[in-house]
Amino acid sequence: MRHTVPIASQFYVTAPQPCPYLADRMERKLFTSLQGIDAGILNNSLSKQGFRRSQNVLYRPACASCSACLSARIDVAQFQPSRSQKRILKRNAALRRRRNAAWATEQQYDLFRSYLDARHAEGGMADMDIFEFAAMIEETPVTSCVMEYAQPGGDLKAVCLTDIFDDGLSLVYSFFDTSQPQNSMGTYMILDHIEMARDAGLPYVYLGYWVPGSPKMDYKARFKGVEVFRLGHWRALDPKDDFSRDKNLCESQSISEQVAQIAMPEVTHSLDT
């Protein structure tokens, strides 16, 4: 006998801590564990509702008085590269992409350390050692891979940990050689993932969170076809949109109300009768 039931997950909320994107703000996250035979189904479903994966956890911002963090993705069918993005593709045309299993290497870690030292020396990952790095790459209960970008001579220039959804590719975490900023390696990896998604017939490339007004996030809004998950729906990003209210909410939904609105996926199980 077979029957269909929704996945039952427990949700938790983190303690407030300083927001890394907006000054003088506090952030908290709603999260659930990602494990078991249904991990891939849960990852697919909740990622379409604004969640992101970090190792075996799915999380979404749930701040008490702000909803500025918006999950972003690119509609591949709507994307056309701008002139500057075409130049980025041309500058990096010699790079060779290697798709590997989600397995960490010392070469990756060396590049990761130099990237952190140059770009995020004061960030939360600044003290990450090689074992923690390996856990970030390898502890994945879903379909993931590591995209490496190297010069013809073999020098590693960029790396992206990528999840493969049923409707797209998700850039979980990326890092790169910062010695030649004119090559815009972060943008290049997104452009390459768009091409991979198009070749695979996948409609979306998921970019993580976009925060209006945060200089760290401006680059995500420069891609034609960007959509954001706002007020429970995906919608095309419009330059005329006013996001000021999102950063100045007098009140927001309670955690219980937020959890109640999450659409949990259903799975079919067999029972012996």
Side-chain angles (χ1 to χ4, degrees):
M1 179 179 179
R2 298 171 66 82
H3 72 298
T4 301
V5 295
I7 294 177
S9 293
Q10 295 293 319
F11 288 87
Y12 309 90
V13 65
T14 61
Q17 59 185 354
C19 176
Y21 304 115
L22 298 175
D24 302 322
R25 300 294 178 97
M26 300 296 288
E27 71 163 4
R28 64 181 185 181
K29 294 182 176 72
L30 180 69
F31 68 96
T32 188
S33 62
L34 188 61
Q35 58 190 357
I37 60 174
D38 299 323
I41 296 172
L42 188 64
N43 193 38
N44 281 325
S45 179
L46 266 60
S47 294
K48 296 169 188 173
Q49 299 175 66
F51 281 79
R52 291 285 290 171
R53 183 181 74 83
S54 176
Q55 293 174 242
N56 61 353
V57 169
L58 284 173
Y59 68 92
R60 186 173 75 181
C63 303
S65 59
C66 177
S67 59
C69 292
L70 302 172
S71 186
R73 70 185 185 186
I74 296 170
D75 183 340
V76 172
Q78 297 299 318
F79 175 76
Q80 292 293 333
S82 64
R83 284 184 291 180
S84 64
Q85 290 166 349
K86 289 179 180 178
R87 289 194 292 269
I88 291 169
L89 287 169
K90 186 175 181 179
R91 288 191 202 109
N92 294 286
L95 292 179
R96 297 293 178 262
R97 181 208 315 139
R98 301 190 296 247
R99 175 175 171 173
N100 301 323
W103 189 256
T105 67
E106 291 186 11
Q107 189 180 24
Q108 291 171 8
Y109 181 69
D110 290 342
L111 182 62
F112 173 73
R113 285 283 1 141
S114 66
Y115 169 78
L116 288 183
D117 293 343
R119 294 291 182 90
H120 303 287
E122 304 299 325
M125 292 183 172
D127 297 327
M128 186 179 287
D129 61 28
I130 192 169
F131 301 105
E132 293 167 321
F133 172 77
M136 180 181 74
I137 298 295
E138 298 172 11
E139 289 184 8
T140 170
V142 300
T143 304
S144 304
C145 60
V146 172
M147 301 296 181
E148 293 187 341
Y149 297 87
Q151 291 181 327
D155 289 343
L156 189 62
K157 290 297 181 181
V159 175
C160 184
L161 175 62
T162 303
D163 281 357
I164 303 173
F165 295 161
D166 56 4
D167 72 340
L169 303 177
S170 174
L171 289 83
V172 177
Y173 190 77
S174 62
F175 51 94
F176 49 87
D177 180 358
T178 62
S179 64
Q180 296 178 301
Q182 70 275 13
N183 288 346
S184 303
M185 290 301 305
T187 295
Y188 171 73
M189 282 189 281
I190 294 174
L191 293 170
D192 189 62
H193 276 70
I194 294 171
E195 188 62 28
M196 284 190 286
R198 182 179 284 121
D199 290 345
L202 297 171
Y204 300 109
V205 171
Y206 288 80
L207 302 179
Y209 293 108
W210 174 69
V211 183
S214 171
K216 295 180 182 179
M217 299 291 192
D218 283 348
Y219 71 96
K220 295 183 181 182
R222 298 183 191 132
F223 290 85
K224 184 178 175 63
V226 170
E227 299 178 345
V228 293
F229 189 77
R230 191 182 188 202
L231 302 176
H233 301 282
W234 288 99
R235 58 193 71 197
L237 182 61
D238 188 333
K240 298 178 182 178
D241 286 340
D242 179 11
F243 295 99
S244 59
R245 182 176 180 275
D246 299 53
K247 292 184 285 187
N248 295 282
L249 293 178
C250 295
E251 60 182 24
S252 61
Q253 289 181 319
S254 67
I255 294 299
S256 60
E257 289 174 321
Q258 293 182 46
V259 172
Q261 293 177 5
I262 297 171
M264 298 301 294
E266 294 186 342
V267 293
T268 300
H269 294 291
S270 295
L271 289 180
D272 295 330
T273 59

